[in-house]
Amino acid sequence: MSKSKLWTKDFVAVSMTSFFIFVVFYMMTVTLPLYATDILQADKGSLGLIVTVFLISAIIFRPLSGKWMITFGQKRILVIGAVLFLIGSVLYSQINSLSSLLLLRVLHGIGFGMATTATGGIVANVIPDDRRGEGMGYFATFMNLAMVIGPFMGLTLIEASGHSAVFTVAIVASVLGLLCSLVLKVPTLKMVKSSTEVKASFLASLFEFKALPIALAGFVLSFAYASIISFVSVFAKEMNFTSVASYFFVVYAVCLLLSRPFTGKWFDRYGENFVVYPAILLFTIGVFLISQASSGTTFLLAGGLIGIGFGTLTSSLQSIAIKVSPPQRRGVATATFFVLFDSGLGVGSSVLAVVSGSIGYQGMYGVCAIIGVMALVVYYALHGRYSKVTSRVALEKQIVNK
């Protein structure tokens, strides 16, 4: 069977829009706490609010964006979100107090939530159905690259030129993201409303209930992953792995990129269970290795396994959420998935901070490995055992048999 074309102008445009927005997101996430303490003289206890208010704003506006995409169109919501995101990036250099910074983070979070929800919905319609797993995998790779490039660029700029250079680069990246969104041509979907949809409640218009089971599995996994993004650098310092700590996410990204050409194609060819079950196991083993790490080598090996495992899971679970939802509600399905996924990160960061204070970081990572096993059970119970074999291999066999 001949495969449909994946690398179109529109696929590249929506992927680059996502890349530039996430570069700014990750760059500001690691540098704003330093700006708050160095320039605004904020106390350490308030630094967590810089991330929290941003995520809360994004979470609140994700389902609203999904609904608006159906009403006003996907591209319009993407452009509005990108414009708000750009405005936020421009205003950072004008901030002179912690309270004004937090207010700006609300605006930036709204733009981020709208833009990233829109890109997730749009890319699902740009990617051919027979290459969805592969396409979503490559789309996620742009976000994964931003996760490495953003923090590295931000910290390097602060060291070389100060915070003003960070704000300037954030503005440039935001402008590029907006330009990419403007050249994007979004496929027109025929919006067919059933009598059930017409009578649907306001809550049903915000959330795609068919995507909730897989989103719940994503919540459990992101809860455990919060231990990586929130505490892995502190853990490395405590264990005297500082000489290799900066390479953790580099190894993470390299292993993810090396696996990406295979995992996405396997998703399409053999079905989601063939990819998701091993990915959860690799992620769980990686987290467990961190809890047992006594050398930098083990620490970096864990980073590689987590990169393959969790990096594969983010695109695979999102693909499933889109797959089980009606085409005209793919934006809502994307919003539903990321509301729970982002909530898992936020709740996990808060809860695991308490856990680490009680039993230490090694004990906390041991708990997260157990949560990884729980995620395997949750995925099986909510989706895996019901998953129909709709892979490319199955379709090819059906055609041959006919």
Side-chain angles (χ1 to χ4, degrees), residues 7 58 61 67 82 93 113 116 140 153 173 180-181 197 270 291 294 299 327 377:
W7 291 96
F61 273 80
K67 175 181 172 62
S93 60
T116 53
M153 184 184 299
C180 289
S181 71
E197 288 177 309
Y270 302 109
S291 72
S294 57
F299 182 68
V377 177

Side-chain angles (χ1 to χ4, degrees), residues 1-3 392 395-396 399:
M1 295 178 65
S2 60
K3 294 193 294 184
R392 192 184 299 156
L395 293 174
E396 289 172 355
I399 292 173

Side-chain angles (χ1 to χ4, degrees), residues 118-130:
T119 55
I122 291 170
V123 77
N125 296 322
V126 170
I127 297 172
D129 287 343
D130 62 333

Side-chain angles (χ1 to χ4, degrees), residues 327-391:
Q328 67 270 22
R329 288 181 61 84
R330 285 171 175 171
V332 181
T334 300
T336 301
F337 175 76
F338 278 110
V339 163
L340 270 73
F341 188 85
D342 291 346
S343 297
L345 291 176
V347 174
S349 296
S350 300
V351 173
L352 294 175
V354 177
V355 173
S356 63
S358 176
I359 61 177
Y361 289 113
Q362 285 187 300
M364 178 199 69
Y365 282 112
V367 170
C368 288
I370 296 173
I371 295 174
V373 176
M374 290 172 55
L376 195 67
V377 177
V378 170
Y379 173 79
Y380 168 78
L382 296 181
H383 179 81
R385 62 176 175 160
Y386 303 115
S387 177
K388 295 180 180 179
V389 181
T390 57
S391 63

Side-chain angles (χ1 to χ4, degrees), residues 19-31:
F19 170 77
F20 287 121
I21 289 173
F22 273 96
V23 162
V24 176
F25 166 70
Y26 285 114
M27 183 169 64
M28 303 309 283
T29 297
V30 299
T31 58

Side-chain angles (χ1 to χ4, degrees), residues 170-190:
I171 293 172
V172 172
S174 299
V175 169
L176 292 173
L178 176 59
L179 292 176
C180 289
S181 71
L182 291 173
V183 302
L184 176 64
K185 184 178 180 181
V186 180
T188 302
L189 291 178
K190 185 179 180 180

Side-chain angles (χ1 to χ4, degrees), residues 3 131-135 137-138 141 254-272 274-276 308 312 315-316 392:
K3 294 193 294 184
R131 301 187 71 178
R132 178 167 295 132
E134 181 184 1
Y138 283 121
T141 300
V254 169
C255 291
L256 170 62
L257 291 173
L258 290 176
S259 67
R260 183 63 78 202
F262 308 102
T263 53
K265 291 180 180 178
W266 290 341
F267 183 100
D268 293 326
R269 188 167 180 81
Y270 302 109
E272 57 258 40
F274 187 84
V275 172
V276 173
I308 298 173
T312 299
S315 59
S316 297
R392 192 184 299 156

Side-chain angles (χ1 to χ4, degrees), residues 46-283:
S46 61
L47 296 182
L49 291 173
I50 295 174
V51 176
T52 301
V53 297
F54 183 95
L55 285 177
I56 290 175
S57 301
I59 289 170
I60 291 174
F61 273 80
R62 281 193 186 282
L64 292 172
S65 300
K67 175 181 172 62
W68 292 336
M69 285 164 64
I70 294 177
T71 306
F72 303 109
Q74 294 177 318
K75 182 172 180 177
R76 184 172 298 176
I77 299 304
L78 171 59
V79 172
I80 292 173
V83 168
L84 291 175
F85 194 77
L86 171 59
I87 293 172
S89 298
V90 170
L91 292 177
Y92 277 116
S93 60
Q94 308 302 314
I95 295 301
N96 54 21
S97 68
L98 179 62
S99 58
S100 57
L101 175 61
L102 295 179
L103 285 174
L104 179 55
R105 291 294 281 171
V106 172
L107 174 65
H108 218 203
I110 292 172
F112 178 81
M114 291 179 67
T116 53
T117 299
T119 55
I122 291 170
V123 77
N125 296 322
V126 170
I127 297 172
D129 287 343
D130 62 333
R131 301 187 71 178
R132 178 167 295 132
E134 181 184 1
M136 291 301 296
Y138 283 121
F139 176 71
T141 300
F142 283 87
M143 291 185 284
N144 297 134
L145 287 173
M147 183 186 69
V148 177
I149 294 172
F152 177 80
M153 184 184 299
L155 294 174
T156 302
L157 287 171
I158 285 179
E159 185 69 24
S161 306
H163 294 284
S164 60
V166 174
F167 298 147
T168 300
V169 171
I171 293 172
V172 172
S174 299
V175 169
L176 292 173
L178 176 59
L179 292 176
C180 289
S181 71
L182 291 173
V183 302
L184 176 64
K185 184 178 180 181
V186 180
T188 302
L189 291 178
K190 185 179 180 180
M191 299 300 179
V192 180
K193 287 190 176 182
S194 66
S195 58
T196 304
E197 288 177 309
V198 171
K199 298 178 182 178
S201 65
F202 178 70
L203 187 63
S205 69
L206 295 179
F207 296 96
E208 175 52 56
F209 294 143
K210 291 182 179 179
L212 279 177
I214 199 65
L216 287 170
F219 175 89
V220 177
L221 284 162
S222 65
F223 184 101
Y225 184 70
S227 66
I228 305 299
I229 62 171
S230 298
F231 307 110
V232 74
S233 58
V234 183
F235 171 77
K237 184 177 180 180
E238 182 180 90
M239 297 296 293
N240 294 318
F241 297 154
T242 50
S243 59
V244 298
S246 59
Y247 296 102
F248 181 89
F249 283 107
V250 174
V251 174
Y252 177 111
V254 169
C255 291
L256 170 62
L257 291 173
L258 290 176
S259 67
R260 183 63 78 202
F262 308 102
T263 53
K265 291 180 180 178
W266 290 341
F267 183 100
D268 293 326
R269 188 167 180 81
Y270 302 109
E272 57 258 40
N273 287 349
F274 187 84
V275 172
V276 173
Y277 285 127
I280 295 176
L281 285 174
L282 287 174
F283 170 69

